[in-house]
């Protein structure tokens, strides 16, 4: 089987949707909506997040659909240990009844969506974006095997692809769906070849 590099499978930064960390959540929602509409129109794999850049035009984070919805109800950050992930409790076998009890107990979404949505122009992207950890970056010259390893170990949906060792620059994104499709392609070639 031929060796494949991360840079052969990644989506280049120039082809991915981006927003400034200084932009409003509302502006970012419009960019996400546009990316989703493009996906529906082409029946292709669209962007399920936007990459966030800072004042130096360096990629510093991601903003997904889930991040946007969490930002609309800030109480999600107050539950549990204060992290937005602390409500991912359903993975631990908790019943829907228990989960609904949390919704009621913490009065999550107690205001109509239209009232919550008014805040979107006041919230800055940088305040609600997800900041990737060190394990969510992979060098463009790494093998696809290494990229798959990182995706699996970290259970990530994507990795930021970098170029250069010192002061690495983000040049693209390696998405789980694209990696899966490439793996299927390579396995089919091997089986048929």
């Amino acid at each position: 089987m031929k060796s494949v590099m991360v840079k052969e499978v990644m989506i280049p930064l120039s082809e991915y949707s981006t927003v400034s960390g200084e932009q409003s959540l509302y502006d970012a929602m419009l960019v996400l909506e546009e990316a989703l509409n493009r996906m529906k129109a082409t029946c292709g794999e669209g962007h399920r997040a936007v990459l966030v850049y800072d004042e130096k035009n360096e990629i510093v984070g991601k903003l997904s659909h889930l991040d946007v919805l969490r930002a609309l109800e800030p109480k999600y950050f107050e539950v549990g240990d204060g992290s937005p992930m602390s409500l991912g409790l359903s993975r631990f076998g908790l019943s829907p009844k228990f989960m609904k009890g949390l919704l009621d107990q913490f009065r999550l979404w107690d205001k109509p969506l239209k009232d919550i949505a008014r805040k979107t122009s006041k919230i800055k992207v940088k305040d609600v974006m997800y900041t990737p950890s060190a394990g969510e970056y992979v060098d463009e010259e790494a093998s696809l095997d290494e990229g798959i390893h990182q995706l699996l170990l970290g259970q990530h949906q994507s990795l930021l692809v970098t170029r250069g060792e010192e002061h690495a620059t983000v040049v693209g994104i390696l998405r789980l769906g694209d990696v899966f499709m490439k793996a299927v392609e390579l396995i089919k070639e091997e089986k048929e070849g």
Side-chain angles (χ1 to χ4, degrees):
M1 190 178 292
K2 70 178 184 176
S3 180
V4 177
M5 308 305 281
V6 164
K7 66 183 174 185
E8 296 173 58
V9 182
M10 73 175 198
I11 303 295
L13 186 58
S14 62
E15 296 176 21
Y16 209 82
S17 300
T18 61
V19 296
S20 165
E22 295 298 323
Q23 284 181 266
S24 72
L25 182 61
Y26 179 73
D27 291 337
M29 290 171 66
L30 295 179
V31 173
L32 273 167
E33 177 190 37
E34 182 182 323
L36 191 57
N37 286 336
R38 273 194 317 265
M39 178 183 77
K40 287 179 180 178
T42 62
C43 296
E45 180 65 28
H47 308 311
R48 300 190 193 291
V50 292
L51 299 179
V52 181
Y53 60 89
D54 65 9
E55 61 280 347
K56 298 176 193 169
N57 283 331
E58 294 176 355
I59 300 299
V60 293
K62 300 177 192 177
L63 186 74
S64 70
H65 301 138
L66 194 56
D67 298 321
V68 169
L69 292 174
R70 272 194 202 109
L72 294 177
E73 178 49 272
K75 291 179 193 168
Y76 281 101
F77 292 92
E78 299 167 11
V79 178
D81 64 6
S83 74
M85 300 310 258
S86 62
L87 281 181
L89 301 174
S90 61
R91 288 186 271 182
F92 299 109
L94 300 174
S95 71
K97 183 177 179 180
F98 177 80
M99 299 299 288
K100 174 135 177 36
L102 282 178
L103 182 73
D104 297 338
Q105 178 183 356
F106 291 101
R107 300 192 57 183
L108 300 169
W109 293 97
D110 63 341
K111 295 180 183 173
L113 190 55
K114 67 180 181 175
D115 292 342
I116 293 172
R118 288 188 183 124
K119 298 185 295 185
T120 61
S121 294
K122 297 175 186 162
I123 299 170
K124 288 192 176 192
V125 169
K126 68 180 181 181
D127 295 330
V128 295
M129 71 179 190
Y130 172 76
T131 304
S133 66
E136 293 177 75
Y137 293 86
V138 63
D139 189 272
E140 68 178 344
E141 297 295 334
S143 70
L144 187 57
D145 296 340
E146 185 178 331
I148 292 171
H149 177 71
Q150 279 185 245
L151 286 165
L152 292 175
L153 280 182
Q155 297 185 24
H156 303 300
Q157 292 296 312
S158 63
L159 299 173
L160 293 177
V161 180
T162 59
R163 177 180 297 143
E165 298 213 6
E166 284 194 40
H167 307 293
T169 303
V170 174
V171 294
I173 187 164
L174 183 67
R175 302 179 305 183
L176 183 61
D178 298 328
V179 169
F180 173 79
M181 293 304 290
K182 188 63 171 180
V184 168
E185 176 189 321
L186 293 170
I187 290 167
K188 284 168 67 176
E189 284 176 12
E190 187 70 20
K191 285 267 196 198
E192 295 167 2

